[in-house]
Amino acid sequence: MTQTTRTSLAMKLALLLDEVGRKERAGERIQFSTIRGLLGEQRVMMMPSVKHHHEAALPRRDDEPERVRTTVVLEVTLIDAESNEQIGSRWIGQAIDAPEVSYEKAITNALDDFLRKTFLTMAANDEVEVANDDLALEAATAATHAARTSSSGAA
């Protein structure tokens, strides 16, 4: 008879977080499919459920297409298939787009936020934002240095 060791859901998520870190250090880009695969290896299911949503039409000019702002409250439950242990949390997602796609985009944004913050990953567009922040910091530092140099030269 084979004895199996059961691991708590929290321990499985800690192991998953460690694996995500290893993959990122190795240069692998972490995507939804990567995390879904790692959850599956740990026998953890992810069950998202929309708990509330609100849609508001945005003002527009005659030549503009109709757009709405959709806000969703998404409850994401992680379930250990071996022990039935569960952890749930709520996330808010928002999107502004055409009425037929705004709802789905808001759900995607909430789920993306959950995955990035829970598993401490960086989205593809975050690297662009970090690079832009670095450039802005360099420019501000150069401007401050130039201002100090010119004011100390005038004294």
Side-chain angles (χ1 to χ4, degrees):
M1 181 166 146
T2 306
Q3 186 174 0
T4 59
T5 305
R6 287 178 51 176
T7 306
S8 73
L9 178 56
M11 179 57 79
K12 288 180 176 187
L13 294 177
L15 292 170
L16 190 145
L17 186 60
D18 187 47
E19 183 64 24
V20 166
R22 260 196 298 281
K23 287 179 177 292
E24 283 187 323
R25 285 189 297 279
E28 186 175 331
R29 202 175 246 342
I30 304 300
Q31 300 175 353
F32 283 158
S33 59
T34 306
I35 293 175
R36 188 174 48 239
L38 292 171
L39 285 168
E41 288 173 11
Q42 293 291 333
R43 304 295 186 252
V44 175
M45 296 175 21
M46 181 174 58
M47 303 293 290
S49 173
V50 175
K51 293 300 180 184
H52 177 74
H53 76 278
H54 179 264
E55 223 173 66
L58 298 176
R60 66 184 179 114
R61 289 184 229 133
D62 291 334
D63 59 334
E64 292 179 330
E66 182 181 5
R67 294 181 339 147
V68 296
R69 179 181 47 240
T70 303
T71 304
V72 298
V73 176
L74 187 72
E75 184 169 83
V76 181
T77 304
L78 297 173
I79 305 167
D80 184 340
E82 296 170 339
S83 69
N84 288 330
E85 188 179 353
Q86 299 181 15
I87 297 175
S89 59
R90 290 192 178 196
W91 296 83
I92 296 174
Q94 215 173 44
I96 297 175
D97 211 320
E100 51 281 348
V101 295
S102 184
Y103 182 75
E104 295 297 326
K105 284 186 175 184
I107 293 171
T108 299
N109 290 339
L111 193 53
D112 180 60
D113 201 31
F114 161 75
L115 291 171
R116 287 191 302 136
K117 290 181 179 165
T118 302
F119 299 107
L120 307 175
T121 63
M122 188 180 264
N125 63 346
D126 284 351
E127 291 176 4
V128 172
E129 290 173 14
V130 169
N132 288 341
D133 289 346
D134 290 345
L135 290 174
L137 180 60
E138 282 180 36
T141 303
T144 302
H145 179 69
R148 285 184 184 160
T149 305
S150 67
S151 66
S152 65

